PDB file of all heavy atoms in Angstrom:
ATOM      1  N   VAL A 312      14.218   8.093  -3.909  1.00 98.00           N
ATOM      2  CA  VAL A 312      14.660   6.934  -4.692  1.00 98.00           C
ATOM      3  C   VAL A 312      13.995   5.665  -4.176  1.00 98.00           C
ATOM      4  O   VAL A 312      13.614   4.782  -4.966  1.00 98.00           O
ATOM      5  CB  VAL A 312      16.198   6.832  -4.676  1.00 98.00           C
ATOM      6  CG1 VAL A 312      16.667   5.485  -5.218  1.00 98.00           C
ATOM      7  CG2 VAL A 312      16.795   7.966  -5.498  1.00 98.00           C
ATOM      8  N   THR A 313      13.817   5.548  -2.863  1.00 98.00           N
ATOM      9  CA  THR A 313      13.090   4.406  -2.307  1.00 98.00           C
ATOM     10  C   THR A 313      11.649   4.390  -2.796  1.00 98.00           C
ATOM     11  O   THR A 313      11.121   3.343  -3.192  1.00 98.00           O
ATOM     12  CB  THR A 313      13.124   4.460  -0.769  1.00 98.00           C
ATOM     13  OG1 THR A 313      14.456   4.212  -0.332  1.00 98.00           O
ATOM     14  CG2 THR A 313      12.182   3.434  -0.156  1.00 98.00           C
ATOM     15  N   GLN A 314      11.003   5.544  -2.778  1.00 98.00           N
ATOM     16  CA  GLN A 314       9.623   5.619  -3.244  1.00 98.00           C
ATOM     17  C   GLN A 314       9.496   5.169  -4.704  1.00 98.00           C
ATOM     18  O   GLN A 314       8.450   4.670  -5.109  1.00 98.00           O
ATOM     19  CB  GLN A 314       9.105   7.051  -3.082  1.00 98.00           C
ATOM     20  CG  GLN A 314       8.998   7.506  -1.641  1.00 98.00           C
ATOM     21  CD  GLN A 314       8.671   8.978  -1.509  1.00 98.00           C
ATOM     22  OE1 GLN A 314       8.279   9.631  -2.473  1.00 98.00           O
ATOM     23  NE2 GLN A 314       8.838   9.532  -0.324  1.00 98.00           N
ATOM     24  N   LYS A 315      10.564   5.367  -5.473  1.00 98.00           N
ATOM     25  CA  LYS A 315      10.558   4.956  -6.874  1.00 98.00           C
ATOM     26  C   LYS A 315      11.016   3.516  -7.067  1.00 98.00           C
ATOM     27  O   LYS A 315      10.384   2.750  -7.798  1.00 98.00           O
ATOM     28  CB  LYS A 315      11.483   5.876  -7.690  1.00 98.00           C
ATOM     29  CG  LYS A 315      11.684   5.489  -9.143  1.00 98.00           C
ATOM     30  CD  LYS A 315      10.466   5.737 -10.029  1.00 98.00           C
ATOM     31  CE  LYS A 315       9.427   4.652 -10.070  1.00 98.00           C
ATOM     32  NZ  LYS A 315       8.276   4.973 -10.915  1.00 98.00           N
ATOM     33  N   LEU A 316      12.122   3.121  -6.445  1.00 98.00           N
ATOM     34  CA  LEU A 316      12.787   1.866  -6.787  1.00 98.00           C
ATOM     35  C   LEU A 316      12.479   0.700  -5.858  1.00 98.00           C
ATOM     36  O   LEU A 316      12.947  -0.413  -6.101  1.00 98.00           O
ATOM     37  CB  LEU A 316      14.298   2.081  -6.867  1.00 98.00           C
ATOM     38  CG  LEU A 316      14.787   2.975  -8.011  1.00 98.00           C
ATOM     39  CD1 LEU A 316      16.313   3.040  -8.016  1.00 98.00           C
ATOM     40  CD2 LEU A 316      14.265   2.493  -9.361  1.00 98.00           C
ATOM     41  N   HIS A 317      11.742   0.904  -4.777  1.00 98.00           N
ATOM     42  CA  HIS A 317      11.275  -0.238  -3.998  1.00 98.00           C
ATOM     43  C   HIS A 317      10.542  -1.189  -4.945  1.00 98.00           C
ATOM     44  O   HIS A 317       9.706  -0.777  -5.739  1.00 98.00           O
ATOM     45  CB  HIS A 317      10.336   0.245  -2.888  1.00 98.00           C
ATOM     46  CG  HIS A 317       9.830  -0.848  -1.989  1.00 98.00           C
ATOM     47  ND1 HIS A 317       8.814  -1.701  -2.357  1.00 98.00           N
ATOM     48  CD2 HIS A 317      10.198  -1.212  -0.736  1.00 98.00           C
ATOM     49  CE1 HIS A 317       8.571  -2.548  -1.373  1.00 98.00           C
ATOM     50  NE2 HIS A 317       9.402  -2.273  -0.377  1.00 98.00           N
ATOM     51  N   ASN A 318      10.914  -2.467  -4.906  1.00 98.00           N
ATOM     52  CA  ASN A 318      10.332  -3.473  -5.801  1.00 98.00           C
ATOM     53  C   ASN A 318      10.524  -3.096  -7.268  1.00 98.00           C
ATOM     54  O   ASN A 318       9.717  -3.436  -8.124  1.00 98.00           O
ATOM     55  CB  ASN A 318       8.844  -3.690  -5.476  1.00 98.00           C
ATOM     56  CG  ASN A 318       8.298  -4.974  -6.074  1.00 98.00           C
ATOM     57  OD1 ASN A 318       9.005  -5.962  -6.212  1.00 98.00           O
ATOM     58  ND2 ASN A 318       7.019  -4.947  -6.431  1.00 98.00           N
ATOM     59  N   ASN A 319      11.616  -2.379  -7.538  1.00 97.00           N
ATOM     60  CA  ASN A 319      11.982  -1.960  -8.902  1.00 97.00           C
ATOM     61  C   ASN A 319      10.919  -1.073  -9.552  1.00 97.00           C
ATOM     62  O   ASN A 319      10.823  -1.000 -10.778  1.00 97.00           O
ATOM     63  CB  ASN A 319      12.268  -3.159  -9.800  1.00 97.00           C
ATOM     64  CG  ASN A 319      13.227  -2.805 -10.930  1.00 97.00           C
ATOM     65  OD1 ASN A 319      14.158  -2.030 -10.739  1.00 97.00           O
ATOM     66  ND2 ASN A 319      13.007  -3.369 -12.103  1.00 97.00           N
ATOM     67  N   GLY A 320      10.125  -0.394  -8.740  1.00 97.00           N
ATOM     68  CA  GLY A 320       9.085   0.471  -9.285  1.00 97.00           C
ATOM     69  C   GLY A 320       7.801  -0.241  -9.623  1.00 97.00           C
ATOM     70  O   GLY A 320       6.854   0.386 -10.132  1.00 97.00           O
ATOM     71  N   TYR A 349      20.124   7.483  -7.103  1.00 95.00           N
ATOM     72  CA  TYR A 349      19.468   6.713  -8.162  1.00 95.00           C
ATOM     73  C   TYR A 349      20.476   5.780  -8.838  1.00 95.00           C
ATOM     74  O   TYR A 349      20.196   4.601  -9.093  1.00 95.00           O
ATOM     75  CB  TYR A 349      18.883   7.693  -9.174  1.00 95.00           C
ATOM     76  CG  TYR A 349      17.656   7.225  -9.927  1.00 95.00           C
ATOM     77  CD1 TYR A 349      16.554   6.695  -9.272  1.00 95.00           C
ATOM     78  CD2 TYR A 349      17.576   7.362 -11.315  1.00 95.00           C
ATOM     79  CE1 TYR A 349      15.418   6.304  -9.967  1.00 95.00           C
ATOM     80  CE2 TYR A 349      16.445   6.974 -12.019  1.00 95.00           C
ATOM     81  CZ  TYR A 349      15.371   6.443 -11.340  1.00 95.00           C
ATOM     82  OH  TYR A 349      14.257   6.045 -12.030  1.00 95.00           O
ATOM     83  N   ALA A 352      21.734   2.795  -6.385  1.00 94.00           N
ATOM     84  CA  ALA A 352      20.805   1.771  -5.899  1.00 94.00           C
ATOM     85  C   ALA A 352      21.134   0.413  -6.503  1.00 94.00           C
ATOM     86  O   ALA A 352      21.588   0.307  -7.644  1.00 94.00           O
ATOM     87  CB  ALA A 352      19.369   2.177  -6.236  1.00 94.00           C
ATOM     88  N   ARG A 355      18.406  -4.558 -10.065  1.00 95.00           N
ATOM     89  CA  ARG A 355      17.299  -5.498  -9.923  1.00 95.00           C
ATOM     90  C   ARG A 355      17.075  -6.275 -11.211  1.00 95.00           C
ATOM     91  O   ARG A 355      17.420  -5.829 -12.302  1.00 95.00           O
ATOM     92  CB  ARG A 355      16.000  -4.739  -9.631  1.00 95.00           C
ATOM     93  CG  ARG A 355      16.067  -3.719  -8.522  1.00 95.00           C
ATOM     94  CD  ARG A 355      15.526  -4.270  -7.263  1.00 95.00           C
ATOM     95  NE  ARG A 355      15.385  -3.234  -6.248  1.00 95.00           N
ATOM     96  CZ  ARG A 355      14.569  -3.306  -5.232  1.00 95.00           C
ATOM     97  NH1 ARG A 355      13.798  -4.366  -5.071  1.00 95.00           N
ATOM     98  NH2 ARG A 355      14.516  -2.338  -4.342  1.00 95.00           N
ATOM     99  N   PRO A 402      11.055   1.335 -13.319  1.00 97.00           N
ATOM    100  CA  PRO A 402      12.028   2.293 -12.774  1.00 97.00           C
ATOM    101  C   PRO A 402      12.162   3.570 -13.613  1.00 97.00           C
ATOM    102  O   PRO A 402      13.217   3.855 -14.186  1.00 97.00           O
ATOM    103  CB  PRO A 402      13.323   1.479 -12.763  1.00 97.00           C
ATOM    104  CG  PRO A 402      13.164   0.500 -13.882  1.00 97.00           C
ATOM    105  CD  PRO A 402      11.702   0.150 -13.911  1.00 97.00           C
TER     106      PRO A 402
END
Side-chain angles (χ1 to χ4, degrees):
V312 168
T313 291
Q314 295 172 13
K315 174 72 275 179
L316 293 183
H317 182 282
N318 197 32
N319 207 37
Y349 209 50
R355 310 261 189 157

